[in-house]
Amino acid sequence: MSSLPAARPRSASVVNAEIRALMLRSGGRLAAGDRARYVALIAEWAEAVRDAVRPAA
C-alpha cells in the first residue's frame, strides 16, 4: 500500500490559468504534443467545474 497522500484535484481557476499559459506560449496554434496536453487540461477543467457546482448531499 502506498504511503503517499492522495492528490487533491486542482481548482478550475488553476487549470484555466494553465490552459491560458499554454495558449499564450503556442501563439494560439497547438503542435501535436501541445494539443494532447490541451485536451487533458480541458477534461481536468470540466471535472473541476462539475465538482464545484455539484449540490451537497
Side-chain angles (χ1 to χ4, degrees), residues 7-50:
R8 294 185 65 194
R10 299 188 297 168
S11 71
S13 62
V14 168
V15 178
N16 188 43
E18 190 170 339
I19 292 167
R20 288 174 178 267
L22 176 64
M23 294 305 290
L24 284 172
R25 280 193 308 271
S26 70
R29 297 181 74 81
L30 298 172
D34 289 336
R35 186 175 312 274
R37 180 66 183 141
Y38 176 79
V39 169
L41 286 168
I42 291 298
E44 183 181 356
W45 175 83
E47 185 176 341
V49 169
R50 275 192 304 272

